[in-house]
């Protein structure tokens, strides 16, 4: 008997579940194929076949696979291998990995709610069963898949629902996470107009004899179709080109003189023409390119350490071109969606339609369509995307580029799997026989350490393109300026003067403040009361634009108090500055300049990032204020001044990586200044400029700063001299969280001894009404990961076996950031 191990996209599916393969499916089912299986008493789910075998399972009743969704795999063997590695290394269930990997449109269950799309009118493209389903949905706004199957009388209705989704007839609301998540994306269809070939000229003349407008429209449509040398044309395009009212065209359709039908429109970008060849490289870039190609002959991974504006992207383009010429594919990873905007246009100008873009801001339908294209005979040759693009089905991967590899955005925090895209990309490339290129002006210490010790190869680009000098960095002692009463604004006098000169010269400025909102907190002047979130152990941030207090951990919003609830005083101070306040101050200081704020509050829409970036590039915005997304590789030619506010706040975090991140952020933000034609100026405002880190920033001395930090890391056994594993326990009662974490830590110490630290309260010890305790494991590089995981799972079972802790939530974070 043939059995199939099936991965279900459910967070509690620890391993693949085994099902019997019915005899009629035995000759067609294969690994990576999508099947429909029963789960529990009543539910049906779509899952992925991970393995076929003849090993009869024991100890439970084995059910049969219900039906097939399609006759071809949608997941490759390399993908399944990567899922297994991620499940093991990041201590996540295989169901959680599957759920993260697959687009939502490829995950259906029997209780999924199906709704008819009102814009759909392509009935002629439907099969009889699909037409029956659409007919049922016309009488009810929505229905469960399970109910539709019973009403239609079809044993396996899920394949028909899949087909209707891709035809644009229905959309779905998921219940995977036990709640409805309404999907709002529009299904792309288009109405097409053509002349009715069965309508003769005499009949048309008779029908239109007394209707001048209709006659003119008919003649105009005929003329346009003849001019375009086509039999049909989109209705919108005809109306726009001819300039006619819509009802007149409807009258011609009603008389059957014109035929109207609906067709699906691909959500994938249409043909894009190549505009240029890769630019010629200068001597430094050419040397770096040759060194990278040489290093790939010996090693799997190469780190390109190039100063800001050294032309790393053009080096990438030349490497991509060579991979494509050899028939390979390239995955180009970036840390933030904002970066894809500029890179998309730059790469499309060279590679045209060979480039696909994949990230969370595109809707589920388009993600599913891109997934299917990657499985087709003509897949994208280049994918530009954020961390989720790792999961796409590549068939001939030749190179993975991880740009700005130091960025913490590559680390998935919640939900599980809490993977790091850079490290996962290296494993993925290795499994596919591809190479990995890491690039950064400020590499992560782990990557740079691996390059220094010979695990990776290292290639350096030490000069800016066209040999423009690195920006001049000026430190402003704002503490001293305040003492002397010279700080009249959030911006120091020197920074104000630099921006004023830049504006007078027709140049632009960037102001960096890594805190959104208007003010960090409110405080009663009389008693010191500070409003805090009711669900989290944090003070609330004041957002002036919305006139509300907001928790940046759970997004809860509160009204701004008019009086203190403790002493009933009415004098409530605003403390700290966020990007909103900087924007307001900038508008007052430079009324003739257009300033804008780019952070997660202002850039919410699908095209928000693009709009800000394009407007700034076109000089429609002269001063751009923002958070850390401004420090992530954006390229602006006309920026001559960068201001970094409250630099000390970048360093004052209870985290051993705070100096590394602060250094990276300051150097990366500084790199936005003076990228073309002239040297830029950077003003760093700090309360204590005597900190040694500022000397390294001033001198752009990454290597010196690395050596200093490595000494401290080695003394305290922090990465890269150890591996960290964080175990977080959450419960709604603090006493339970404390007791459970203590029991688990004690159990771990019996086998892992002094490698176990804690349990301890994290900096924010309560989030969303859950009290938190953290156990940290410091593991030496040589220790067996299998042994560590075995001991952790035994300790977890011990805690879960205690009835007092039945509602405890335990999560694992390998290599926490």
């Amino acid at each position: 008997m043939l059995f199939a191990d099936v991965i279900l996209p459910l967070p509690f599916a620890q391993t693949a579940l085994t099902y019997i393969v019915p005899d009629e499916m035995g000759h067609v089912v294969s690994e990576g194929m999508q099947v429909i299986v029963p789960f529990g008493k009543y539910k049906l789910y779509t899952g992925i076949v991970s393995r076929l075998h003849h090993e009869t399972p024991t100890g439970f009743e084995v059910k049969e696979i219900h039906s097939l969704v399609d006759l071809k795999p949608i997941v490759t063997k390399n993908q399944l291998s990567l899922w297994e590695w991620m499940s093991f290394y990041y201590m996540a269930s295989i169901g959680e990995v599957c759920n993260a990997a697959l687009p939502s449109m490829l995950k259906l269950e029997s209780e999924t709610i199906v709704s008819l799309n009102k814009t759909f009118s392509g009935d002629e493209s439907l099969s009889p069963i699909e037409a029956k389903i659409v007919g049922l949905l016309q009488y009810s706004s929505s229905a469960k898949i399970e109910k539709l199957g019973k009403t239609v009388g079809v044993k396996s209705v899920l394949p028909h629902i899949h087909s209707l989704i891709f035809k644009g007839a229905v959309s779905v609301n998921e219940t995977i996470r036990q709640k409805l998540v309404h999907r709002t994306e529009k299904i792309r269809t288009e109405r097409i107009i053509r002349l009715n070939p069965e309508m003769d000229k005499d009949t048309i003349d008779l029908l239109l004899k007394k209707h001048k407008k209709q006659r003119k429209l008919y003649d105009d449509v005929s003329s346009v179709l003849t001019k375009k040398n086509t039999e049909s044309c989109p209705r919108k395009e005809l109306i726009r080109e001819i300039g006619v009212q819509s009802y007149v065209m409807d009258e011609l359709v009603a008389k059957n003189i014109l035929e109207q039908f609906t067709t699906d429109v691909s959500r994938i970008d249409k043909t894009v023409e190549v505009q240029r060849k890769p630019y010629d490289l200068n001597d430094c870039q050419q040397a770096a390119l040759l060194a990278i190609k040489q290093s790939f002959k010996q090693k799997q991974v190469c780190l390109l350490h190039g100063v800001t504006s050294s032309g790393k992207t053009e080096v990438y383009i030349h490497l991509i071109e060579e991979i494509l010429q050899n028939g390979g594919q390239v995955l180009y990873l970036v840390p933030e969606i904002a970066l894809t905007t500029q890179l998309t246009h730059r790469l499309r100008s060279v590679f045209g339609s060979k480039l696909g873009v994949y990230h969370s801001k595109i809707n589920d339908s388009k993600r599913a369509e891109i997934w299917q294209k990657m499985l087709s005979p003509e897949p994208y040759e280049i994918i530009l995307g954020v961390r989720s693009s790792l999961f796409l089905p590549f068939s001939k991967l030749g190179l993975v580029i991880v740009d700005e590899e130091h960025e913490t955005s590559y680390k998935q925090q919640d939900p599980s799997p809490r993977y790091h895209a850079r490290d996962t990309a290296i494993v993925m490339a290795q499994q596919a026989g591809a190479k990995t290129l890491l690039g950064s002006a400020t590499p992560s210490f782990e990557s740079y350490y691996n390059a220094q010790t010979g695990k990776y190869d290292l290639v350096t680009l030490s000069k800016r393109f066209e040999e423009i000098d690195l920006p001049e960095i000026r430190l402003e002692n704002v503490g001293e300026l305040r003492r002397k009463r010279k700080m009249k604004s959030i911006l120091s006098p020197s920074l104000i003067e630099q921006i004023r000169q830049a504006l007078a010269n027709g140049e632009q400025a960037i102001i960096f403040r890594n805190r959104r909102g208007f003010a960090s907190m409110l405080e009663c002047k009389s008693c010191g009361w500070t409003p805090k979130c009711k669900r989290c152990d944090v003070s609330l941030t004041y957002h002036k634009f919305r006139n509300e207090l907001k928790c940046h951990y759970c997004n809860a919003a509160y009204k701004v108090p008019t009086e203190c609830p403790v002493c009933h005083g009415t004098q409530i101070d605003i403390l700290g500055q966020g990007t909103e306040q900087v924007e307001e101050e900038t508008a007052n200081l430079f009324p003739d300049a257009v300033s804008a704020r780019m952070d997660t509050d202002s850039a919410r829409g699908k095209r928000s990032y693009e709009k800000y970036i394009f407007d700034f590039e076109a000089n429609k915005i002269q001063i751009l204020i923002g958070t850390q997304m401004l420090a992530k590789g954006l390229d602006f030619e006309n920026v001559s001044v960068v201001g970094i506010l409250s630099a000390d706040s970048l360093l004052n975090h209870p985290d051993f990586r705070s100096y590394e991140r602060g250094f990276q952020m300051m150097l990366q933000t500084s790199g936005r200044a003076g990228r073309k034609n002239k040297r830029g100026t950077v003003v760093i405002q700090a309360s204590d400029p005597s900190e040694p880190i500022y000397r390294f920033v001033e001198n752009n001395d990454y290597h010196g700063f690395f050596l200093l930090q490595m000494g401290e890391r080695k003394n305290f056994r922090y990465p890269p001299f150890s591996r960290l594993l964080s175990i977080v326990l959450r419960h709604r009662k603090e006493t339970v969280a404390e007791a459970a974490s203590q029991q688990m830590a004690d159990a771990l110490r019996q086998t892992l001894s002094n490698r176990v630290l804690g349990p301890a309260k994290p900096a924010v010890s309560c989030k969303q009404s859950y009290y938190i305790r953290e156990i940290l494991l410091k593991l030496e590089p040589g220790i067996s990961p299998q042994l560590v995981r075995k001991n952790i799972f035994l300790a977890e079972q011990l805690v879960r076996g205690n009835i007092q802790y039945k509602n405890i939530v335990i999560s694992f974070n390998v290599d926490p950031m």
Side-chain angles (χ1 to χ4, degrees):
M1 187 176 290
L2 184 62
F3 296 91
D5 292 343
V6 179
I7 301 171
L8 298 181
L10 303 174
F12 48 80
Q14 291 293 331
T15 58
L17 304 179
T18 304
Y19 290 86
I20 297 170
V21 178
D23 292 339
E24 63 270 22
M25 294 183 198
H27 65 287
V28 291
V29 72
S30 63
E31 291 180 5
M33 195 172 279
Q34 199 172 19
V35 295
I36 300 164
V37 296
F39 185 79
K41 287 187 178 180
Y42 307 110
K43 286 191 176 184
L44 293 173
Y45 282 91
T46 52
I48 303 297
V49 176
S50 63
R51 188 171 75 100
L52 295 169
H53 58 88
H54 296 278
E55 303 162 12
T56 306
T58 57
F60 59 91
E61 180 189 354
V62 185
K63 298 178 182 179
E64 279 194 351
I65 291 175
H66 185 277
S67 54
L68 300 176
V69 174
D70 206 345
L71 295 177
K72 58 183 180 181
I74 67 161
V75 176
T76 67
K77 289 184 178 180
N78 280 343
Q79 284 177 288
L80 289 171
S81 178
L82 184 68
W83 291 8
E84 288 175 8
W85 177 84
M86 291 179 71
S87 175
F88 170 76
Y89 185 80
Y90 290 108
M91 299 180 68
S93 70
I94 193 71
E96 288 171 321
V97 178
C98 177
N99 192 41
L102 291 176
S104 294
M105 284 293 188
L106 301 180
K107 298 177 291 189
L108 294 179
E109 59 163 298
S110 55
E111 292 194 356
T112 298
I113 307 295
V114 183
S115 304
L116 183 68
N117 287 313
K118 294 178 181 178
T119 57
F120 181 77
S121 58
D123 295 343
E124 67 276 1
S125 67
L126 304 181
S127 70
I129 293 173
E130 291 167 1
K132 199 171 181 181
I133 293 170
V134 169
L136 287 169
L137 289 172
Q138 284 174 342
Y139 292 100
S140 59
S141 57
S142 60
K144 287 184 180 180
I145 286 178
E146 185 179 27
K147 183 181 178 182
L148 286 172
K150 289 178 181 178
T151 308
V152 174
V154 179
K155 179 185 175 185
S156 178
V157 75
L158 282 178
H160 302 290
I161 300 296
H162 268 276
S163 176
L164 286 169
I165 287 169
F166 281 100
K167 287 178 179 178
V170 301
S171 57
V172 298
N173 299 332
E174 290 182 76
T175 55
I176 294 288
R177 291 178 174 271
Q178 301 172 352
K179 63 179 182 178
L180 293 178
V181 182
H182 184 61
R183 196 189 315 281
T184 58
E185 75 272 0
K186 295 178 181 177
I187 302 300
R188 297 280 300 280
T189 58
E190 193 170 50
R191 287 183 290 177
I192 304 296
I193 295 292
R194 69 183 174 197
L195 302 177
N196 187 346
E198 297 179 3
M199 189 73 71
D200 61 75
K201 185 177 182 300
D202 292 339
T203 306
I204 292 171
D205 290 342
L206 182 65
L207 289 171
L208 300 181
K209 187 175 181 181
K210 297 180 180 180
H211 303 278
K212 291 183 179 179
K213 284 186 178 179
Q214 293 177 28
R215 178 80 229 189
K216 183 178 184 308
L217 175 58
Y218 174 78
D219 292 339
D220 287 342
V221 171
S222 302
S223 175
V224 169
L225 293 178
T226 303
K227 185 179 176 182
K228 291 179 178 289
N229 194 26
T230 181
E231 293 181 355
S232 61
C233 189
R235 176 187 169 107
K236 278 186 180 179
E237 191 176 318
L238 282 171
I239 289 174
R240 185 174 62 248
E241 200 161 325
I242 296 169
V244 68
Q245 290 178 308
S246 185
Y247 78 88
V248 183
M249 187 168 285
D250 290 335
E251 288 168 349
L252 286 183
V253 172
K255 289 178 177 178
N256 210 25
I257 294 171
L258 296 181
E259 287 186 335
Q260 178 174 287
F261 59 95
T262 303
T263 184
D264 291 350
V265 179
S266 174
R267 298 167 188 87
I268 297 175
D269 302 306
K270 297 177 181 177
T271 303
V272 180
E273 295 296 327
V274 173
Q275 297 173 14
R276 69 173 178 91
K277 291 184 177 180
Y279 294 129
D280 292 335
L281 301 180
N282 63 25
D283 292 344
C284 291
Q285 289 171 312
Q286 189 64 44
L289 177 64
L290 292 173
I292 291 166
K293 291 197 287 189
Q294 188 64 34
S295 77
F296 282 155
K297 294 178 181 178
Q298 307 293 329
K299 293 184 178 165
Q300 288 290 123
V301 184
C302 178
L303 172 63
L304 176 60
H305 178 203
V307 297
T308 55
S309 194
S310 57
K312 294 186 290 293
T313 305
E314 207 59 37
V315 174
Y316 301 155
I317 287 173
H318 279 258
L319 277 170
I320 292 170
E321 186 183 41
E322 189 168 315
I323 295 294
L324 266 52
Q325 286 173 355
N326 294 328
Q329 290 174 299
V330 177
L331 171 59
Y332 192 137
L333 285 174
V334 291
E336 288 278 358
I337 295 165
L339 272 182
T340 61
T341 301
Q342 280 192 327
L343 273 175
T344 298
H345 292 276
R346 192 164 174 182
L347 293 175
R348 280 221 171 106
S349 67
V350 180
F351 300 108
S353 301
K354 295 176 182 178
L355 177 75
V357 181
Y358 193 85
H359 54 67
S360 61
K361 288 290 182 181
I362 58 178
N363 62 41
D364 290 334
S365 303
K366 185 171 180 180
R367 283 205 292 274
E369 200 166 336
I370 291 172
W371 187 286
Q372 296 289 359
K373 181 173 173 63
M374 293 301 288
L375 290 167
S376 73
E378 296 181 356
Y380 282 121
E381 295 175 60
I382 312 162
I383 287 290
L384 172 65
V386 294
R387 60 176 182 256
S388 58
S389 55
L390 277 168
F391 295 114
L392 285 170
F394 293 90
S395 57
K396 45 187 179 179
L397 188 66
L399 175 67
V400 178
I401 297 169
V402 186
D403 199 14
E404 308 295 343
E405 66 84 29
H406 65 279
E407 279 290 346
T408 56
S409 306
Y410 281 124
K411 175 70 172 176
Q412 163 75 7
Q413 299 298 342
D414 281 306
S416 180
R418 297 171 180 85
Y419 65 99
H420 198 298
R422 177 196 64 216
D423 301 338
T424 307
I426 291 171
V427 174
M428 177 180 118
Q430 198 165 16
Q431 290 179 347
K435 304 295 184 182
T436 306
L437 178 62
L438 311 178
S440 177
T442 54
S444 65
F445 284 173
E446 286 85 352
S447 294
Y448 197 71
Y449 178 80
N450 285 335
Q452 292 290 309
T453 54
K455 186 176 180 180
Y456 302 164
D457 223 336
L458 177 65
V459 175
T460 303
L461 260 173
S462 57
K463 292 183 179 179
R464 279 188 152 192
F465 188 71
E466 295 181 349
E467 299 196 0
I468 294 171
D469 289 336
L470 288 164
E472 177 192 0
I473 294 177
R474 302 179 182 180
L475 280 170
E476 284 284 299
N477 189 336
V478 292
E480 183 67 14
L481 289 171
R482 288 193 189 99
R483 190 181 69 80
K484 293 180 177 179
R485 301 182 183 275
K486 292 183 178 181
M487 279 289 286
K488 308 295 183 184
S489 162
I490 300 170
L491 279 57
S492 67
S494 173
L495 179 55
I496 293 170
E497 181 56 33
Q498 290 294 326
I499 294 174
R500 192 167 283 138
Q501 286 180 14
L503 295 174
N505 295 332
E507 296 162 348
Q508 295 165 292
I510 285 176
I511 301 176
F512 171 80
R513 174 68 176 111
N514 200 34
R515 188 177 294 275
R516 58 194 175 99
F518 188 85
S520 307
M521 59 191 291
L522 302 183
E523 183 182 80
C524 174
K525 204 169 182 180
S526 302
C527 70
W529 168 81
T530 297
K532 290 191 174 183
C533 180
K534 294 176 182 177
R535 304 171 64 205
C536 308
D537 185 24
V538 290
S539 58
L540 298 168
T541 302
Y542 174 49
H543 288 251
K544 188 175 182 180
F545 177 73
R546 296 176 182 271
N547 192 33
E548 65 183 14
L549 296 173
K550 198 162 185 179
C551 173
H552 286 177
Y553 284 87
C554 70
N555 282 326
Y558 301 83
K559 289 183 179 180
V560 179
T562 53
E563 68 169 32
C564 172
V566 177
C567 70
H568 302 289
T570 56
Q571 289 187 309
I572 298 176
D573 281 350
I574 294 173
L575 302 178
Q577 307 96 25
T579 49
E580 277 188 20
Q581 192 173 159
V582 177
E583 181 186 27
E584 185 179 280
E585 185 82 355
T586 303
N588 292 332
L589 288 168
F590 311 102
D592 296 331
V594 178
S595 57
R597 170 171 53 92
M598 189 171 84
D599 55 26
T600 52
D601 293 322
S602 63
R604 288 184 175 273
K606 183 178 178 181
R607 301 287 181 186
S608 298
Y609 294 109
E610 285 189 19
K611 186 178 186 312
Y612 282 113
I613 290 167
F614 289 157
D615 285 353
F616 195 58
E617 283 181 323
N619 208 22
K620 293 178 182 178
I621 298 169
Q622 285 78 52
I623 305 173
L624 188 61
I625 300 122
T627 53
Q628 57 184 320
M629 63 177 66
L630 291 178
K632 299 189 177 183
L634 296 171
D635 187 8
F636 301 116
E637 294 187 4
N638 199 35
V639 174
S640 61
V641 177
V642 167
I644 299 174
L645 310 187
S646 302
D648 309 272
S649 66
L650 301 174
L651 313 175
N652 298 331
H653 294 281
D655 183 351
F656 73 94
R657 286 194 175 95
S658 63
Y659 269 53
E660 177 187 0
R661 289 177 184 161
F663 178 84
Q664 289 168 340
M665 215 167 284
M666 282 187 275
L667 220 57
Q668 288 285 345
T669 309
S670 301
R672 302 315 107 206
R675 296 176 72 88
K676 298 285 189 300
N677 305 322
K678 61 173 285 186
R679 190 183 189 193
T681 302
V682 179
V683 177
I684 299 176
Q685 296 184 183
S687 296
D688 184 13
S690 63
E691 279 278 0
I693 187 173
Y694 295 119
R695 305 283 85 77
F696 293 106
V697 173
E698 279 183 304
N699 299 321
N700 195 52
D701 186 5
Y702 173 87
H703 187 72
F705 183 65
F706 168 80
L707 293 175
L708 177 69
Q709 288 288 298
M710 283 302 100
E712 294 181 11
R713 297 269 183 106
K714 191 171 185 179
N715 289 338
F716 294 100
R717 289 177 45 238
Y718 277 121
F721 301 101
S722 68
R723 304 297 295 269
L724 298 184
L725 197 160
S726 169
I727 304 171
V728 175
L729 293 90
R730 297 178 175 87
H731 199 276
R732 292 191 180 275
K733 292 183 179 178
E734 188 171 13
T735 53
V736 175
E738 179 66 36
S741 60
Q742 191 62 60
Q743 183 178 0
M744 190 167 186
D746 291 342
L748 287 169
R749 281 195 182 91
Q750 292 178 14
T751 52
L752 297 175
S753 61
N754 64 349
R755 300 181 183 93
V756 182
L757 303 177
K761 282 186 178 183
V764 179
S765 61
C766 183
K767 292 180 187 176
Q768 300 180 3
S769 301
Y770 278 87
Y771 291 93
I772 305 168
R773 294 296 182 271
E774 183 181 19
I775 301 168
L776 188 67
L777 304 186
K778 276 188 180 179
L779 306 169
E780 64 271 23
I783 194 169
S784 166
Q786 289 86 352
L787 178 65
V788 172
R789 280 153 181 74
K790 180 183 177 182
N791 288 322
I792 290 172
F793 288 136
L794 287 173
E796 181 188 11
Q797 288 173 7
L798 180 67
V799 171
R800 294 195 185 281
N802 190 328
I803 191 67
Q804 300 175 56
Y805 310 143
K806 67 175 182 177
N807 293 323
I808 198 82
V809 179
I810 303 175
S811 59
F812 306 104
N813 192 352
V814 180
D815 302 330
M817 300 296 288

